[in-house]
Every structure is written in C-alpha cells, then in structure tokens.
Amino acid sequence: MKLLASATSPYARKLRVIAHELGITLPVEDTTPMTDPAALLAANPLGKVPALVLEDGSAIIDSPVIAAFLLASVPGQQLMATSGPAHWHARTTEALADGVLDAAIILRFNMAQGITSGPWVDRQYRAIERALSVMNTRVGGSGLGDICCAVAVDYLSFRFPDLDWRSHNPALVALADRLLATPAFIATQPPA
C-alpha cells in the first residue's frame, strides 16, 4: 500500500505519525493535489490528499477513515480504545483537530487570493480559537487524540506563525512540546 500525500498536508502527517507509532511501513508518494494528477483522481475523485491505495488497487480516502483503517490493521494497538466512551472521546478530539485544520486551510486559500479580512475569515479564526480551547481540556485522553491535537497546533505554528495559540492553551503547549520531540513527529516534519 502507499499513501498519496503532499509533504505539507497536516492530514497526511497525522496518518504518517499514526503509522510510525503502530510500526506500519507506509510509503508516501508525493502528490500535488492542485494539479489533479491521474493517480490521485483514480484513488479519490474529489482530488484530495491523503488517499491510501491498497495492494489490490482499491483506495481509502479521508484522513479519519484512513486512520481507522490503520488502527484496525494492528490488533491490540494502544493508540485508541476500540469501543466505549474512550473511543468516542478520541474520535471527537480527532474531529476537533481536523476542524481546526479545515479552518486553517480555508484561511490559507483565502490569503492566497488576497482575502485577509471579512466575516468569513473572522468566522474561521473564531472556530479555531474555540476548538483550541476545548482541545486544551482534552489533552491526555488518548494517543490518537493527542497526536491529532499536536499535528493541528504544529500546522498552525507552521502556516500561521503570528497566531498566538500558545498563550491561552497551556496543556496543548505542553503536549506539543513533548510530542514534537518524538521520533514519529521528527520523521514527519513538513519541509521548511
């Protein structure tokens, strides 16, 4: 199997960290989604990364679905409970972190078009701020949730260095500082 992904995609980074933590070898094929490469469109007609192409040629798309596939591939994995409240806590934390990434990517595309203010832009910043505040209270709930939170805040630091998320979210700061120093995060760091 191989992961079609951009080197800077935070969604792909989440999957690469999960694979590393699970001991899964996950080859990555550098893919630029904006050019609509044929291999990506064959795997995901939406033209989005990441897409996981399996050995039989079929594909799994969307990072939460791929994460679930990777977790299910390793019986007895310890990154996330397989059922019960802890499972749903981890999935909800993943959704919050992915929502932060969704808003951040909307902001990046708006900035590329010269849109840096207005109600839609303000709404994205407010969504990020609210989600970070909740994520700050969920740190330590699960390996998966913590990975997702660390990926999200590191992406904010990477793409929005002026966004001061650190002053209001001490638990996220401690989590990010700890996880970003681990081999899985070092190995998946986006290019400068």
Side-chain angles (χ1 to χ4, degrees), residues 71-145:
L71 290 163
S73 297
V74 178
Q77 57 78 22
Q78 299 296 308
L79 287 182
M80 184 182 76
T82 56
S83 63
H87 174 84
W88 299 114
H89 183 276
R91 285 286 178 220
T92 300
T93 303
E94 179 183 24
L96 281 168
D98 282 356
V100 166
L101 295 173
D102 294 344
I105 288 171
I106 287 170
L107 289 170
R108 286 263 312 148
F109 279 110
N110 282 347
M111 291 168 138
Q113 296 175 13
I115 303 167
T116 58
S117 63
W120 183 244
V121 170
D122 294 344
R123 188 174 189 336
Q124 304 313 310
Y125 280 114
R126 287 192 311 270
I128 290 170
E129 185 178 311
R130 287 190 308 266
L132 290 176
S133 179
V134 172
M135 288 161 54
N136 190 61
T137 68
R138 298 174 78 86
V139 166
S142 78
L144 174 72

Side-chain angles (χ1 to χ4, degrees), residues 52 56 68 141-142 149 184:
L52 183 65
D56 67 1
S142 78
C149 288

Side-chain angles (χ1 to χ4, degrees), residues 7 44 48-49 59 63 82 84 109 128 140 145 173 184 188:
N44 184 354
K48 293 181 174 183
V49 294
S63 69
T82 56
F109 279 110
I128 290 170
V173 170
T188 60

Side-chain angles (χ1 to χ4, degrees), residues 26 28 42-43 58 64 76 84 100 103 126 152 169 180 184 186:
L26 187 60
V28 178
S58 64
V100 166
R126 287 192 311 270
N169 302 290
L180 293 174
I186 292 169

Side-chain angles (χ1 to χ4, degrees), residues 11 13 20 31-32 41 70 84 98 127 168 187-188:
Y11 306 104
R13 186 180 193 196
H20 190 279
T31 305
T32 306
L41 296 179
L70 294 173
D98 282 356
H168 307 292
T188 60

